[in-house]
């Protein structure tokens, strides 16, 4: 377990099994935060011989705020599944050298949409989702807003729901076509996703 990951998992976004691994870190962080708050409350009771009216109670209650924030983050990570191992192995065989990310969850005001894997190549974004209900047009509009804000234009966005077609598409992409713009696109996608 990496202790730095308890503070922030941002450096690990896009890695294989990110959602599952980060869920475990969020669970540990939530338990630690609530344990600290409860420990402070109990310490205040012990020091003040059972009297709840003390500074430790106030600090414990305030300590519940970040603990509850951690709990909300944990719930978000529990809601979504990571890319399954079998598919991840197939993707690795087809996407060697490409700019890619696993386990992305994009939230907008209207919808939350999960992407199992994505590849950015030659100003083109190809995504695979195993979600039963997925609105490609809503996803395209949502992503386009953020790309436009970063002055990234003319990006093609395609979402695949069939594993076989997605694997065929990414196997036809060449790492030689990777550009700096592709890295910028991936950076935007990582920043706006869970």
């Amino acid at each position: 377990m990496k202790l730095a990951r308890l503070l922030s998992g941002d450096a690990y976004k896009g890695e294989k099994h990110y959602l599952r691994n980060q869920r475990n870190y969020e669970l540990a962080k939530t338990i630690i935060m609530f344990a600290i708050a409860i420990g402070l409350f109990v310490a205040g009771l012990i020091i003040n011989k059972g009297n709840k009216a003390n500074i430790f109670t106030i600090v414990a209650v305030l300590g519940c705020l970040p603990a509850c924030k951690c709990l909300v983050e944990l719930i978000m990570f529990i809601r979504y599944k990571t890319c399954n191992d079998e598919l991840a192995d197939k993707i690795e065989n087809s996407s060697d050298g490409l700019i890619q990310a696993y386990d992305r969850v994009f939230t907008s005001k209207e919808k939350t949409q999960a992407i199992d894997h994505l590849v950015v190549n030659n100003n083109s974004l190809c995504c695979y989702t195993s979600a039963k209900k997925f609105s490609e047009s809503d996803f395209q509009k949502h992503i386009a807003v953020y790309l436009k804000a970063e002055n990234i234009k003319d990006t093609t966005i395609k979402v695949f729901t069939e594993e076989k077609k997605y694997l065929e598409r990414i196997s036809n992409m060449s790492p030689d076509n990777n550009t700096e713009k592709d890295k910028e696109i991936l950076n935007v996608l990582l920043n706006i996703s869970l």
Side-chain angles (χ1 to χ4, degrees):
M1 184 174 241
K2 299 174 184 171
L3 293 178
R5 193 163 178 176
L6 286 172
L7 301 175
S8 175
D10 289 348
Y12 304 94
K13 280 186 172 184
E15 288 183 354
K16 188 163 90 170
H17 304 305
Y18 169 76
L19 290 175
R20 179 179 60 205
N21 295 337
Q22 193 61 29
R23 181 183 320 139
N24 295 335
Y25 282 98
E26 293 297 330
L27 176 62
K29 186 166 51 170
T30 302
I31 291 169
I32 290 168
M33 297 296 279
F34 276 111
I36 290 170
I38 292 168
L40 285 170
F41 179 73
V42 171
L45 287 176
I46 292 170
I47 291 170
N48 293 298
K49 299 177 179 136
N51 185 1
K52 289 188 268 185
N54 61 63
I55 191 71
F56 288 98
T57 301
I58 295 170
V59 173
V61 169
L62 292 175
C64 286
L65 294 173
C68 289
K69 181 182 180 286
C70 290
L71 181 60
V72 169
E73 290 176 8
L74 173 63
I75 290 168
M76 287 298 292
F77 280 101
I78 288 173
R79 289 185 64 202
Y80 300 99
K81 294 181 180 169
T82 193
C83 182
N84 70 54
D85 290 331
E86 182 182 332
L87 175 59
D89 291 340
K90 291 177 184 176
I91 287 171
E92 278 186 4
N93 293 335
S94 300
S95 65
D96 191 35
L98 296 173
I99 297 172
Q100 59 185 317
Y102 290 88
D103 298 343
R104 302 292 73 226
V105 178
F106 297 91
T107 57
S108 67
K109 292 178 184 176
E110 297 83 28
K111 292 184 178 189
T112 300
Q113 297 174 314
I115 297 290
D116 295 43
H117 186 261
L118 61 87
V119 172
V120 184
N121 186 261
N122 199 20
N123 204 31
S124 176
L125 170 62
C126 289
C127 307
Y128 171 76
T129 183
S130 58
K132 303 278 186 260
K133 295 179 182 178
F134 192 91
S135 173
E136 184 174 358
S137 61
D138 288 344
F139 179 74
Q140 289 173 340
K141 288 175 190 172
H142 177 67
I143 298 302
V145 167
Y146 288 97
L147 293 177
K148 186 177 179 183
E150 294 295 323
N151 206 22
I152 300 171
K153 298 175 182 153
D154 303 323
T155 302
T156 306
I157 302 170
K158 176 67 178 153
V159 180
F160 293 85
T161 54
E162 293 180 38
E163 182 181 312
K164 184 179 177 184
K165 287 183 180 181
Y166 179 69
L167 292 171
E168 286 174 8
R169 176 67 179 111
I170 63 173
S171 64
N172 291 330
M173 293 179 163
S174 171
D176 298 334
N177 293 334
N178 289 343
T179 65
E180 285 300 316
K181 194 173 188 180
D182 294 339
K183 292 176 184 174
E184 291 175 28
I185 293 169
L186 181 64
N187 192 39
V188 169
L189 296 173
L190 293 177
N191 287 334
I192 65 171
S193 59
L194 179 65

